[in-house]
Amino acid sequence: MTRREREITDKNEIEEILASCGYLHLGLVDEGKPYVVPMNYGVDHAEDGRVVVYLHSGLTGRKLDIIRKNSECCFTMERNIQPFEGRMACQYGVAYECIMGTGQIHIVDDVEEKKKALSVLMTTQTGESFSFDDKMASIVAVMRIDVDEITAKRRPLPATLENS
């Protein structure tokens, strides 16, 4: 990260951003070419405390084909996006908070983990608890990102615009 003054290191702040973005952009590599798709997600933690991200989709498609060939992935998520203007071109910009992560993505086959993942996803997305049965879990694909690295940063509004 080149702009260290924008880095967010507080774990509670990072967790709050993870829990509130609403969607992420999943990055995969398909035969040497990037492939990025926006997706809903759910956040959980492994027993060792590492972040786990769950995703879901239809049972077939390009994304699943790519994951079967290459489990390396990255993701980004952002919130509090606010473009701002300046007096000259180089003073224009965007205020934001964002997460960037890398890891290994796996297709989940275990029915119990799929049901748990779908529940986690719905809790992250709605704040409400849902339960799923075997039939519901059987009609969707579930993916799990075992996150290796996660970073976060913030670009606040310039001080001259904060109270505008």
Side-chain angles (χ1 to χ4, degrees), residues 1 6-7 10 24 29-30 35 46-47 53 69 73-74 76 78 82 84 99 106 110 112 120 133 136 148 164:
M1 183 173 304
R6 295 183 181 171
E7 184 176 21
D10 180 89
L24 62 73
V29 178
D30 185 15
Y35 177 77
E47 288 182 16
V53 177
K69 293 185 287 185
C73 73
C74 65
T76 63
E78 59 280 327
Q82 188 172 353
F84 58 85
I99 298 281
H106 308 280
D110 179 77
E112 293 306 313
V120 166
D133 60 26
M136 294 167 100
D148 295 326
S164 304

Side-chain angles (χ1 to χ4, degrees), residues 22-38:
Y23 66 94
L24 62 73
H25 292 96
L26 174 66
L28 304 169
V29 178
D30 185 15
E31 297 182 13
K33 295 189 178 193
Y35 177 77
V36 178
V37 60

Side-chain angles (χ1 to χ4, degrees), residues 99-114:
I99 298 281
M100 296 147 288
T102 60
Q104 301 291 316
I105 188 167
H106 308 280
I107 298 170
V108 176
D109 293 318
D110 179 77
V111 175
E112 293 306 313
E113 185 178 1
K114 283 179 81 170

Side-chain angles (χ1 to χ4, degrees), residues 28-30 35 62-70:
L28 304 169
V29 178
D30 185 15
Y35 177 77
R62 182 176 179 191
K63 151 177 69 274
L64 296 172
D65 294 341
I66 295 169
I67 292 167
R68 288 184 187 100
K69 293 185 287 185
N70 181 358

Side-chain angles (χ1 to χ4, degrees), residues 11 37 51 54 87:
K11 291 191 184 303
V37 60
V51 173
Y54 286 110
R87 285 176 296 170

